[in-house]
Structures are given as structure tokens and as C-alpha cells.
Amino acid sequence: MATTKWVVDPTHSEVQFKVKHLMISTVTGYFGKFNVEVETEEDDFTKASRILFTADVDSISTNNEQRDTHLKSADFFDAQSHEQVKYEGKSFEKVGEDEYKLHGDLTIRGTTKPVSVNVEFGGIVVDPYGQTKAGFTVTGKINRKEYGLTWNAVTEAGSVVVSDDIKLNCEIQLVKQA
């Protein structure tokens, strides 16, 4: 079987996270610079031999410069010592018609833990320029404190400023390499 290599199409992909703020509203953040590399047998993603996602911590954006600087600090991601978030997929398991579970290891701040995420496979098409593309929606949830992102504060009324749970939502479009 031939190995097929896929790389991310950054102009048609986004990596987003959401966190509760003061437990009453949600703040959305993005990684502006990230990479995805996948190797499959033919075009079968369930037979992937390599799935690697990396995101540059310094590219984090929540549309608030002061908050972004705080997120990059040692209180959270510690971008100076840990430049990337990394996810290495171990298996891509079919669980429904176009539904999959991606099992792998997530590394944040030098801490690696197993994480499974939900993946909706959008299909494979050839675009108007002759490129073969595959689309995916990836969702999941992690506990930030498990990765050393433990900073928090409490309001006068006793509310937590930042929730422990972080929701992940990614739209990924891959381009098949010739």
C-alpha cells in the first residue's frame, strides 16, 4: 500500500478554544499559527500511521492584548519555555457514519496526557485547482489544570474567574500531497 501525505490548508482551517469567564460568559481564543501533518494508507484515515498537530503558543489570540499576554505568561502556557502545544494521534477509530474518535497524546507546558477527541469527517473532494482535500471538524474538552495551567482568582462573591474545563473546536482542511 502506498503512503499518502496530507498537510493542513491554513487558509481553510482554524483552531479554537472556549473557556468560561466568571462562570457567566464564554471567551473564545484561537491559535493563529498551527500545523497538521497526516500520513495514511491510500486515502484511508483509519489507517493513519502519523497524525501530528502543533500550535505556536505565541500565536494565541483572544482579541484582547492584555489577556493574550497573560495567557502566554508563566501563569498559563509559559510560551517562553514551552513554545508549542502538541497532539500526536495514535488511532483514528470509526464510531458512526461519518463520526470518529481520535485517540492520542496532548502535550501542554511539558505535560503529556492521553486525550480522545470527536471527529466529524466531512469527506474528500477535488477543488477547482485540482487539489484533493479532506475536511474534518474536531471537538473535545480538556481540564487545563492537568497541564499545569493552574492560575485562577476568585471574585468578591466567590465566583471563579476562569473555569477548569476548556472546550476545543477545530475546523481542519487537509491537502493531499502529490
Side-chain angles (χ1 to χ4, degrees):
M1 292 241 169
T3 299
T4 303
K5 293 186 180 188
W6 302 81
V7 297
V8 72
D9 177 350
T11 59
H12 297 104
S13 301
E14 65 180 34
V15 175
Q16 180 186 88
F17 60 90
K18 293 181 177 283
V19 61
K20 284 279 190 191
H21 182 253
L22 298 174
M23 307 315 286
I24 59 169
S25 64
T26 301
V27 170
T28 302
Y30 300 87
F31 287 99
K33 292 182 184 172
F34 56 90
N35 192 37
V36 182
E37 297 174 9
V38 178
E39 291 181 9
T40 60
E41 285 184 22
E42 304 296 330
D43 292 346
D44 186 350
F45 286 90
T46 62
K47 295 181 180 175
S49 59
R50 175 184 160 120
I51 300 171
L52 179 63
F53 163 83
T54 56
D56 293 348
V57 172
D58 202 43
S59 74
I60 207 164
S61 174
T62 62
N63 294 318
N64 180 295
E65 190 175 330
Q66 185 177 354
R67 179 172 49 222
D68 296 346
T69 299
H70 192 203
L71 287 171
K72 294 172 193 179
S73 78
D75 282 345
F76 287 99
F77 285 97
D78 193 8
Q80 191 168 4
S81 299
H82 305 281
E83 296 174 0
Q84 290 189 326
V85 170
K86 181 168 83 171
Y87 184 82
E88 291 184 86
K90 303 294 184 193
S91 68
F92 194 64
E93 170 192 10
K94 187 173 180 105
V95 295
E97 180 63 33
D98 290 321
E99 297 174 17
Y100 297 80
K101 280 273 190 197
L102 176 57
H103 306 282
D105 293 327
L106 177 64
T107 303
I108 300 174
R109 270 185 78 126
T111 299
T112 303
K113 298 210 173 271
V115 169
S116 295
V117 293
N118 300 311
V119 180
E120 182 183 327
F121 179 50
I124 297 175
V125 299
V126 177
D127 74 8
Y129 306 101
Q131 294 182 313
T132 301
K133 297 193 172 183
F136 305 87
T137 298
V138 181
T139 58
K141 184 168 69 169
I142 62 168
N143 183 314
R144 67 184 178 89
K145 288 188 174 178
E146 291 179 0
Y147 296 91
L149 283 75
T150 57
W151 181 90
N152 217 333
V154 178
T155 66
E156 269 184 38
S159 294
V160 174
V161 174
V162 181
S163 71
D164 294 348
D165 289 336
I166 309 297
K167 292 182 181 177
L168 311 171
N169 187 18
C170 308
E171 295 295 334
I172 303 295
Q173 193 172 109
L174 298 177
V175 181
K176 186 177 185 177
Q177 300 302 286

